[in-house]
Amino acid sequence: MVPHDVKDESLAKAGVLRIEWAEKEMPVLAMIRERFEKEKPLKGVRIGACLHVTSETASLMKTLKAGGAEIALCASNPLSTQDDVAAALALEYGISTFAIKGEDRDTYYGHIMSVIDTHPQITMDDGADVVGLLHTERKDALQGVIGGTEETTTGVIRLKSMEQDGVLAYPIVAVNEAMTKHMFDNRYGTGQSTLDGVIRATNRMIAGKTVVIGGYGWCGRGVALRAKGHGADVVVLEVDPLRALEAIMDGYRVMPIAQAAPIGDIFITATGDIHVIRKEHFEVMKDGAIVANTGHFNVEIDIPALEALSTATRQVREFVQEYTMADGRNIYLLGEGRLINLAAAEGHPSSVMDMSFANQALASEFMVLNCKDLEKKVYDVPEAIDKEIARLKVESLGTAIDVLTPEQVEYLNSWHMGT
Ligand code: ADE
């Protein structure tokens, strides 16, 4: 039995069913797994993964193992683990897994330490927590790391600032920057799963509500699109004029948070920044306002300010905490301000994770093949990998597309043809 710490080993069989269900919509990763099985490109490579422990992540772990990797996995968020999947990974698939849904801070970091204790050669992060610890408290384990991969926007921002400060100790591939990742996972994945999380937590009608969305990056765009699809009156908050303009032309109202706070029914942050919703905004919110976050960290909503303003608090449903203000208004915080799509729902559907995790698998192979030639920098996923994933996904969906004729190729390559 591999080392592990999971909530309940008896959930393993249920976890297998959940993983098999997810894999029905993960054909690209399955094709990579088949090749990995034969070629063993990761033979003997120790991978330390800190990802949301979901059925889709399980499929990635199976793929890396098929490629010959030795893996240790922990959660990248204390609330996102699917306990049945964690049990299945450890007991049915022989993958060292340290993750329990709802784990406290000490357990969360203890689990990351267990992964670092395996002295990974490749780190695979979602939010740069392993990289962060390797560069601070656990420098002892830095030697021997050949490279890493990073899944999410927030992690990439952190890594780029480490690179700029000249402290990044090894090369990292920013999986998030692949088109086949952020255009689909961040937009359609976050869009669907965030609404799913809000609805599962609250069972509230979205139609007719004013939904205020913080940030119009790829995630915010997706959340706005799906909220609009449900019939909401969507308000977007932005700091970037270009994105604000895009939101306006996409048909949304754009305004500052101070103006949106008193009119919103549901607030969803997706900015990647700190304290987007603060004390002065809670003070003017409507009675019954619902506040949720779908960004990586639980800092977008100033929860200590909400707690300080409240005279009483109680849990009224799973993932719904009621805060009563001195004037009698109630404000409802979902999922402790942690990413609501993974806290109260099941994260992005497997169809988009197929592409994100195909990028992870191929980025790991790329790292093994190229680490000697890479500098201590953050690299994009090579375009050829990105394009190939898109090609395989389109093909797996049963869609054929045109190819350029020789005449069209020539036209695109020439500069002297006009009208
Ligand atoms: N991030 C968002 N959704 C996810 C999922 N289903 N699995 C792993 N990471 C995710």
Side-chain angles (χ1 to χ4, degrees):
M1 181 93 63
V2 293
H4 63 276
D5 187 21
V6 301
K7 184 171 183 188
D8 182 353
E9 294 183 356
S10 73
L11 297 175
K13 292 276 185 264
V16 171
L17 286 180
R18 203 204 282 241
I19 294 163
E20 286 174 0
W21 177 254
E23 286 185 331
K24 288 184 197 300
E25 289 228 330
M26 302 184 80
V28 177
L29 197 57
M31 280 185 255
I32 294 170
R33 187 155 60 244
E34 241 171 71
R35 177 171 70 76
F36 274 19
E37 194 84 62
K38 290 189 205 109
E39 298 177 8
K40 302 282 177 209
L42 307 174
K43 195 167 185 327
V45 177
R46 289 188 305 280
I47 297 182
C50 179
L51 301 170
H52 300 296
V53 179
T54 65
S55 49
E56 292 76 22
T57 298
S59 192
L60 172 62
M61 295 301 110
K62 286 171 61 185
T63 305
L64 301 174
K65 192 176 177 195
E70 294 164 19
I71 308 153
L73 168 69
C74 64
S76 58
N77 186 287
L79 262 192
S80 62
T81 297
Q82 295 168 358
D83 288 316
D84 53 354
V85 168
L89 277 166
L91 279 93
E92 299 283 333
Y93 299 107
I95 289 160
S96 233
T97 302
F98 306 90
I100 296 173
K101 187 173 176 100
E103 60 197 8
D104 61 21
R105 195 186 150 78
D106 286 350
T107 312
Y108 176 74
Y109 281 104
H111 283 162
I112 299 181
M113 290 303 183
S114 299
V115 167
I116 294 177
D117 286 342
T118 65
H119 289 261
Q121 293 161 293
I122 290 186
T123 61
M124 188 173 279
D125 259 314
D126 186 333
D129 275 346
V130 172
V131 175
L133 285 171
L134 281 174
H135 285 72
T136 51
E137 283 169 52
R138 291 300 306 269
K139 284 190 174 149
D140 62 291
L142 252 186
Q143 223 194 7
V145 180
I146 60 167
T149 65
E150 170 53 54
E151 171 79 4
T152 200
T153 318
T154 296
V156 173
I157 291 169
R158 282 174 148 194
L159 294 169
K160 288 201 168 153
S161 97
M162 289 173 81
E163 179 191 321
Q164 259 179 1
D165 288 351
V167 297
L168 189 64
Y170 56 87
I172 303 210
V173 176
V175 165
N176 185 70
E177 303 310 287
M179 301 278 209
T180 47
K181 199 280 184 181
H182 64 253
M183 279 176 68
F184 305 96
D185 167 317
N186 301 28
R187 178 169 41 177
Y188 301 113
T190 309
Q192 176 166 323
S193 62
T194 299
L195 267 290
D196 186 14
V198 171
I199 292 167
R200 286 200 210 189
T202 63
N203 196 29
R204 286 283 198 257
M205 186 82 173
I206 304 294
K209 297 283 196 312
T210 298
V211 175
V212 178
I213 296 161
Y216 206 63
W218 287 102
C219 293
R221 289 180 185 113
V223 178
L225 192 63
R226 294 302 171 236
K228 185 179 182 179
H230 275 274
D233 168 23
V234 174
V235 170
V236 169
L237 314 172
E238 249 306 334
V239 291
D240 178 336
L242 199 63
R243 287 182 172 180
L245 206 50
E246 187 184 355
I248 293 167
M249 298 227 181
D250 284 346
Y252 307 117
R253 285 193 286 161
V254 175
M255 61 184 77
I257 176 66
Q259 218 174 308
I263 64 168
D265 298 301
I266 300 174
F267 295 80
I268 304 171
T269 53
T271 68
D273 209 343
I274 194 166
H275 295 171
V276 178
I277 302 181
R278 303 179 291 274
K279 177 173 180 278
E280 61 269 33
H281 310 129
F282 296 125
E283 281 172 341
V284 295
M285 277 183 189
K286 289 195 226 176
D287 179 31
I290 291 169
V291 183
N293 165 53
T294 199
H296 186 79
F297 287 118
N298 60 339
V299 297
E300 304 208 14
I301 300 163
D302 187 352
I303 300 170
L306 182 59
E307 283 167 351
L309 280 176
S310 68
T311 53
T313 182
R314 60 182 181 150
Q315 185 177 337
V316 291
R317 289 166 63 89
E318 201 182 7
F319 307 118
V320 183
Q321 191 72 22
E322 178 184 77
Y323 290 89
T324 305
M325 306 291 109
D327 60 7
R329 282 173 308 123
N330 288 315
I331 294 175
Y332 296 96
L333 175 69
L334 305 189
E336 301 170 17
R338 298 192 188 278
L339 14 76
I340 194 61
N341 60 336
L342 281 141
E346 294 171 73
H348 305 349
S350 43
S351 173
V352 287
M353 295 314 295
D354 187 26
M355 289 186 279
S356 309
F357 286 165
N359 276 290
Q360 283 285 8
L362 297 182
S364 315
E365 180 183 34
F366 170 82
M367 194 51 82
V368 170
L369 291 172
N370 297 286
C371 60
K372 289 206 175 65
D373 303 322
L374 299 178
E375 293 173 59
K376 295 168 181 172
K377 284 185 173 167
V378 181
Y379 287 87
D380 284 348
V381 172
E383 199 185 338
I385 292 182
D386 206 358
K387 282 248 165 81
E388 179 62 2
I389 291 171
R391 192 187 69 76
L392 291 172
K393 191 69 180 177
V394 170
E395 202 178 283
S396 75
L397 292 169
T399 301
I401 59 172
D402 286 315
V403 285
L404 294 173
T405 63
E407 182 193 27
Q408 287 171 329
V409 173
E410 193 190 337
Y411 180 81
L412 290 176
N413 287 320
S414 68
W415 53 270
H416 31 306
M417 257 194 260
T419 29

